[in-house]
Amino acid sequence: MIELKVSVPGGTYPVKIEAGLLPRVGGLVESVHEGRRGLVVMDQNIQSPHGETLLSGFDSQWTLATDGLIATEANKKQEAVSGLHQSCLEAGLDRGSLVVGFGGGITGDVAGFAAASFLRGIALVLVPTTLLAMVDAAVGGKTGVNLPLPGGKGLGKNLAGAFWQPKAVLVDPLVLHTLPVRDLRCGLAECIKHGFIGDPGLFEFIDSNRQAILAADPAVITTLVERALRVKISVIEQDEREAGGRAALNLGHTFGHVVESVEALDLRHGEAVAIGMVAAAQCAHEIGRVGKEVVDQARDIVVSVGLPATLPSPVDVNALVAAMQFDKKTLDGQLRLVLPGQDGVDIVEDVPTEAVKAAWRTVGAGD
Ligand code: GLY
């Protein structure tokens, strides 16, 4: 078993990665948590292939309730958290109880926010079931929901939430066998992001193991998750609450969140981030931070794993620029972008609007 340690002010906890650990989750939870009462929040999509296996590992000392979650961006909202609070009450959970989030990033965020806010905070363990959640969302303590934007302008991503670190993150790469290839690709977008931030060798690893990754080969996935998480953990250990450096993890996300919220484009988070990383690279090039080869590198790696590098249909560039103001990194109305540079990525202020527009046009925005 591979064990990584996360150590931040909000908690020190293990990330355990092993093919086939799912039936042993109960025992692994007991090594980090004393109580024996809990609520398991399961993504409804994985309830049938994997739910029984997960629950089989909790022995008869446990009193466990389960709640299915419709894990969509539209359902990632305050009402979903309120529903989980009600389930916690009905299951008699107290301050010594536990929430287990079993699913992808949406499930972890919603279950995590419920755990962070029920009785002002109870224990949380995350068992991610998508590649995206394994390499990114489940580690680092971000929890939250989307909010409807003023004027009916779609959903503002993750605008309400809390930092709430789990007691453990338990990763079983075998569950990815039932994950659609489209979702595996979405997880690869976050791995590529981690490559730009702190491990350029990941590009080579991804490129030479592309087929095995998309076939969910457990050994290759184990190495991929470990390498991608090492980058993420080193970032969050320096800045748990995104006061500075953690914003690096938003590479591609300011551009990406905007197109993800355009319903007609029907883009998943990872696909939107892939387009966003190409746009961010072009934006960095426009202002002289990187050469054209970095834009080409971003586009090549994204395309090589089957992710989109351009919008599926054109969207007005001015509407895209206007929607960027709702990004969480915006301060005093000033847009801040995470852009590649000569050595990793940086937060850049005062990016000229023309450079942002040029970046959008590179990924297919129209005038
Ligand atoms: N997924 C970005 C972060 O954890 O900060």
Side-chain angles (χ1 to χ4, degrees), residues 37-57:
R37 185 176 286 272
L39 176 71
V40 181
V41 181
M42 286 195 199
D43 176 342
Q44 281 189 347
N45 287 320
I46 51 118
Q47 215 153 357
S48 152
H50 301 299
E52 281 306 311
T53 312
L54 174 90
L55 294 174
S56 69

Side-chain angles (χ1 to χ4, degrees), residues 10 172 177 198 261 293 352:
D172 183 351
H177 276 128
S261 68
E293 71 283 357

Side-chain angles (χ1 to χ4, degrees), residues 255 278-292 294-295 299 337 339-340 348 351-363:
F255 289 96
V278 177
Q282 179 68 33
C283 191
H285 177 53
E286 294 287 332
I287 60 173
R289 287 177 55 83
V290 295
K292 173 89 168 50
V294 174
V295 185
R299 187 182 292 110
L337 291 173
L339 300 179
V348 186
V351 180
T353 307
E354 276 317 310
V356 178
K357 285 188 177 177
W360 275 124
R361 289 188 190 104
T362 294
V363 296

Side-chain angles (χ1 to χ4, degrees), residues 36 38 46 72 105 112 134 136 143 145 150 247 280 294 309 345 356:
R36 294 290 180 269
I46 51 118
T72 59
M134 290 174 185
D136 192 9
T143 74
V145 293
V294 174
V345 305
V356 178

Side-chain angles (χ1 to χ4, degrees), residues 136 142 193 232 242 246 249:
D136 192 9
K142 281 190 175 176
K193 178 190 81 177
K232 172 144 193 184
E242 207 166 305
R246 183 167 178 166
L249 295 170

Side-chain angles (χ1 to χ4, degrees), residues 35 87 97 126 138 146 149-150 153 174 215 229 239 297 324 334:
S87 298
S97 302
L126 292 173
N146 301 327
L149 292 175
K153 292 195 176 124
L174 283 189
L229 277 183
D239 176 22
Q297 183 186 40
M324 291 170 94
Q334 178 69 53

Side-chain angles (χ1 to χ4, degrees), residues 85 105 151 189:
H85 285 159

Side-chain angles (χ1 to χ4, degrees), residues 188 190-196 198-209 213 223-229 231 301:
L188 273 171
E190 303 290 356
C191 298
I192 293 168
K193 178 190 81 177
H194 290 172
F196 273 110
D199 182 2
L202 256 176
F203 298 143
E204 159 82 54
F205 181 82
I206 291 169
D207 203 34
S208 40
N209 291 286
I213 294 169
T223 305
L224 179 67
V225 173
E226 180 192 358
R227 279 184 75 159
L229 277 183
V231 174
I301 184 80

